[in-house]
């Protein structure tokens, strides 16, 4: 008797702070070209519990296994998804926060040498509620986020950036999904937002398979081929098919 063919997983891409789901556009195109099912939902950037609930509401609607992929703050969101983790078969971090239980984003950034982001942001009040939000000054965006992208692309990102609520940076994470799931981590060695040493620390802590890339924090746009190679390796691990095909 033949064993049933594993159901191919769906890839769910979770963007980080200062951007939106369009930051995954090149990754989505390459995954679709490889015949893979992909979703890139909006990440509200309003708080860890709220953002995770929004992303996982989509995951619960899928009838397939899921590979969660997070970029930047999106990594904190996919790490938080412990209550819905049965459907999740692998995690992929792209220059992302892989928090431990009780940790917040600022715990990681404060543990390592400060980045230029520290003095390149502005804080504004949110239209509803008492919280405020952080965004990157347009004139500093290329320096801290995307210095390996063409100027026209960087300028469009800076103009369209989405601020993140300050509270999202101090929200404490729950039990990490990576403690029980296989994980991959793309380390961006030229990242000026999230210290590459912090990325290595988190990747090694979760015993992730590491991809070391010469890229800025905008790695989903500057190195989509390498990001997709990592996702396909994770897919192949879950299905037993080389390259996730």
């Amino acid at each position: 008797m033949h064993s049933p063919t594993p159901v191919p997983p769906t890839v769910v891409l979770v963007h980080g702070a200062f951007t939106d789901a369009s930051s995954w556009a090149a990754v989505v195109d390459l995954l679709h070209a490889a015949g893979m099912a992909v979703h890139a939902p909006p990440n509200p950037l309003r708080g860890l519990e709220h953002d995770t609930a929004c992303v996982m509401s989509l995951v619960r609607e899928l009838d397939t296994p899921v590979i969660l992929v997070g970029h930047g703050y999106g990594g904190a969101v996919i790490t938080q998804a412990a209550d819905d983790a049965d459907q999740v078969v692998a995690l992929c971090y792209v220059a992302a926060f892989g928090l431990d239980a009780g940790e917040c984003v600022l715990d990681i950034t404060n543990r390592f040498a400060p980045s230029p982001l520290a003095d390149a942001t502005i804080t504004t009040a949110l239209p509803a509620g008492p919280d405020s939000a952080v965004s990157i000054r347009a004139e500093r965006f290329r320096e801290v986020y995307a210095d390996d992208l063409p100027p026209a692309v960087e300028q469009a990102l800076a103009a369209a950036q989405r601020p993140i609520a300050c509270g999202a940076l101090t929200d404490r994470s729950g039990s990490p999904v990576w403690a029980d799931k296989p994980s991959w981590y793309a380390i961006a060695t030229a990242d000026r937002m999230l210290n590459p040493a912090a990325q290595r620390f988190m990747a090694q802590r979760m015993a992730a398979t590491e991809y070391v890339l010469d890229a800025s924090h905008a790695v989903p746009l500057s190195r989509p081929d390498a990001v997709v190679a990592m996702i396909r390796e994770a897919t192949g691990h879950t299905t037993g098919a080389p390259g996730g095909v």
Side-chain angles (χ1 to χ4, degrees):
M1 180 180 293
H2 296 291
S3 300
T5 302
V7 176
T10 299
V11 178
V12 176
L13 304 166
V14 183
H15 69 82
F18 314 119
T19 187
D20 59 24
S22 67
S23 62
W24 292 112
V27 171
V28 170
D29 286 347
L30 292 173
L31 289 173
H32 278 162
M36 300 177 70
V38 188
H39 288 275
N43 181 0
L45 307 177
R46 289 298 173 261
L48 197 49
E49 184 174 349
H50 174 74
D51 298 342
T52 302
C54 290
V55 170
M56 294 312 293
S57 67
L58 165 67
V59 169
R60 287 192 293 271
E61 293 176 0
L62 302 174
D63 59 359
T64 66
V66 169
I67 293 177
L68 289 176
V69 185
H71 174 229
Y73 167 76
V77 173
I78 69 171
T79 297
Q80 174 80 1
D83 291 341
D84 300 277
D86 288 349
Q87 201 173 346
V88 177
V89 293
L91 302 170
C92 291
Y93 292 83
V94 183
F97 289 92
L99 302 179
D100 203 350
E103 231 171 28
C104 70
V105 166
L106 291 186
D107 287 339
I108 294 296
T109 58
N110 292 338
R111 184 170 179 170
F112 295 86
S115 78
L117 181 66
D119 63 356
T121 58
I122 54 175
T123 303
T124 55
L126 287 171
D131 203 358
S132 54
V134 178
S135 57
I136 303 173
R137 297 181 185 277
E139 68 273 16
R140 300 287 302 279
F141 194 89
R142 180 174 182 82
E143 172 194 355
V144 302
Y145 193 100
D147 67 356
D148 56 354
L149 293 179
V153 176
E154 172 271 321
Q155 290 165 13
L157 289 173
Q161 67 173 299
R162 295 184 57 231
I164 184 169
C166 294
L169 307 178
T170 56
D171 285 345
R172 301 287 170 181
S173 183
S175 299
V177 179
W178 53 255
D180 301 306
K181 307 287 180 178
S183 300
W184 281 255
Y185 198 114
I187 298 169
T189 60
D191 196 330
R192 304 196 73 191
M193 280 192 56
L194 177 55
N195 191 317
Q199 296 180 41
R200 291 188 185 93
F201 164 75
M202 290 183 285
Q204 291 171 8
R205 181 171 65 179
M206 66 178 71
T209 300
E210 297 180 18
Y211 274 60
V212 180
L213 309 179
D214 180 13
S216 73
H217 194 67
V219 59
L221 286 165
S222 64
R223 294 295 309 277
D225 53 340
V227 172
V228 168
M230 179 180 71
I231 295 170
R232 294 188 66 183
E233 180 180 319
T235 303
H237 178 85
T238 66
T239 63
V245 178

